Amino acid sequence: QVQLVESGGGLVQPGGSLRLSCKMSGFTLEDYVLAWFRQAPGKEREGVSCLDSTETATYYADSVKGRFTISRDKAKNTVYLQMNSLKPEDTAVYYCAGTGDLVVAGTDPLMYQYDYWGQGTQVTVSS
């Protein structure tokens, strides 16, 4: 059974940093794409970033480009989202999601493309 468990959310001041983690278990696929989505109150869930298992294709939404970095620790079966220079508009619940379909690698993540989801972790950017 595939499980994705996020952690690392919290309250941070504008300009601060957080690192989110997504621990994967039961993921028997050798080839996969892991993505981060976020959903702010009253807004639709949007794709933030994604990374494929070969680490050759990444995607960042324009709103986070240059501030967020996605990475993977293969030995720990964990994908990270390093978030720097955080802004109040980054406040949202952040979700990681996975799929075995490499076609979506390097593209704007869309919800219907992902089969496996974590429970989400809250990120609040406020002074």
Side-chain angles (χ1 to χ4, degrees):
Q1 181 180 356
V2 174
Q3 278 195 315
L4 301 176
V5 179
E6 303 96 334
S7 62
L11 173 65
V12 63
Q13 292 186 343
S17 298
L18 281 175
R19 188 177 78 160
L20 305 183
S21 301
C22 176
K23 174 76 173 178
M24 305 179 289
S25 62
F27 223 103
T28 59
L29 298 172
E30 288 196 4
D31 298 323
Y32 57 84
V33 179
L34 251 290
W36 287 96
F37 289 78
R38 67 185 181 185
Q39 188 166 20
K43 295 188 176 181
E44 293 186 353
R45 195 171 298 186
E46 62 174 356
V48 174
S49 181
C50 66
L51 174 71
D52 70 299
S53 50
T54 65
E55 299 183 65
T56 57
T58 58
Y59 168 88
Y60 295 96
D62 287 343
S63 58
V64 306
K65 204 170 291 183
R67 300 187 298 121
F68 290 11
T69 303
I70 191 169
S71 62
R72 181 180 76 126
D73 186 328
K74 186 177 180 181
K76 294 183 178 180
N77 282 337
T78 300
V79 174
Y80 302 99
L81 186 67
Q82 177 67 43
M83 307 186 296
N84 298 328
S85 302
L86 283 162
K87 305 175 181 180
E89 51 263 43
D90 294 318
T91 295
V93 178
Y94 283 72
Y95 300 88
C96 68
T99 178
D101 187 359
L102 287 183
V103 172
V104 306
T107 66
D108 182 7
L110 301 175
M111 288 184 60
Y112 75 88
Q113 297 170 328
Y114 289 81
D115 303 306
Y116 309 106
W117 290 84
Q119 81 289 350
T121 185
Q122 175 70 48
V123 171
T124 302
V125 185
S126 174
S127 54

